[in-house]
Amino acid sequence: MIRLAVLLAAPALTLAACGEPAPEPASAPAAPADTAVVPGAGAPPAVSPAPASTRVVGLDPEGLRLIDRNSGSTASLPFGQPAEQVLAMVGASRGAPAERGTNAECGAGPLDFASWEDGLTLWFQNGTFAGWATNRQGATLMTGVGVGSSRADLESAHVITVEESTLGTEFAFGGISGLLENGRISNLWAGVSCNFR
């Protein structure tokens, strides 16, 4: 089952720092293995190159945002943009290369992926950016709620639906999905995902 997910993007609240990867819970979305991409629309965003040290990646329910730490300005990378363009822009801000591959067993069909050690994974289908997922501790939404936040904090910031699934305790709101483990958010995702149910 494909779940739409998450809304992470704020100048101060991003996935910029590379740290130790957060442990993946047993019920977490499947790790990448083989991959593909969802057709998209729109022209590539006009984003001028910036030094990797000044630009960070923010998560958004409709894709990603590149956030300039110095000015706070953002550039949108919506789902549907060409895969290589998104990878070039995101990769320039990450400071480390991504592991790349394909997961042929996803419910949405084969999905290509790019995954970084800090827990950020981008999904591509048919050559375009289709989704993202993260389990990085401290990765947050614009509301300040994110991986590691309590269920109480989540519910005070968002009206959520919760259900028990084969993945565990799943929640969703506004195009965002995630998992709760021991009363805290363990995973977030948006767009096309590769969760085995």
Side-chain angles (χ1 to χ4, degrees), residues 26-172:
S27 61
D34 284 348
T35 319
V37 179
V38 158
V47 180
S48 59
S53 61
T54 65
R55 191 166 276 171
V56 295
V57 176
L59 300 178
D60 186 270
E62 298 177 357
L64 295 173
R65 290 189 179 273
L66 295 179
I67 304 163
D68 186 296
R69 283 190 262 202
N70 295 330
S71 68
S73 65
T74 66
S76 178
L77 291 174
F79 296 136
Q81 295 301 312
E84 292 306 317
Q85 175 188 329
V86 171
L87 281 169
M89 292 179 169
V90 173
S93 69
R94 306 292 292 163
E99 174 188 346
R100 293 181 66 177
T102 300
N103 190 329
E105 300 180 4
C106 297
L111 295 176
D112 295 317
F113 68 85
S115 185
W116 285 267
E117 288 186 359
D118 68 355
L120 175 65
T121 297
L122 305 185
W123 295 105
F124 304 95
Q125 191 173 49
N126 302 322
T128 62
F129 178 36
W132 60 261
T134 187
N135 64 355
R136 179 185 171 270
Q137 187 74 20
T140 62
L141 309 175
M142 289 186 70
T143 57
V145 174
V147 177
S149 295
S150 69
R151 179 171 177 168
D153 288 340
L154 173 64
E155 291 180 324
S156 70
H158 304 280
V159 176
I160 64 171
T161 59
V162 179
E163 66 175 319
E164 292 301 322
S165 74
T166 56
L167 297 177
T169 305
E170 259 185 273
F171 66 87

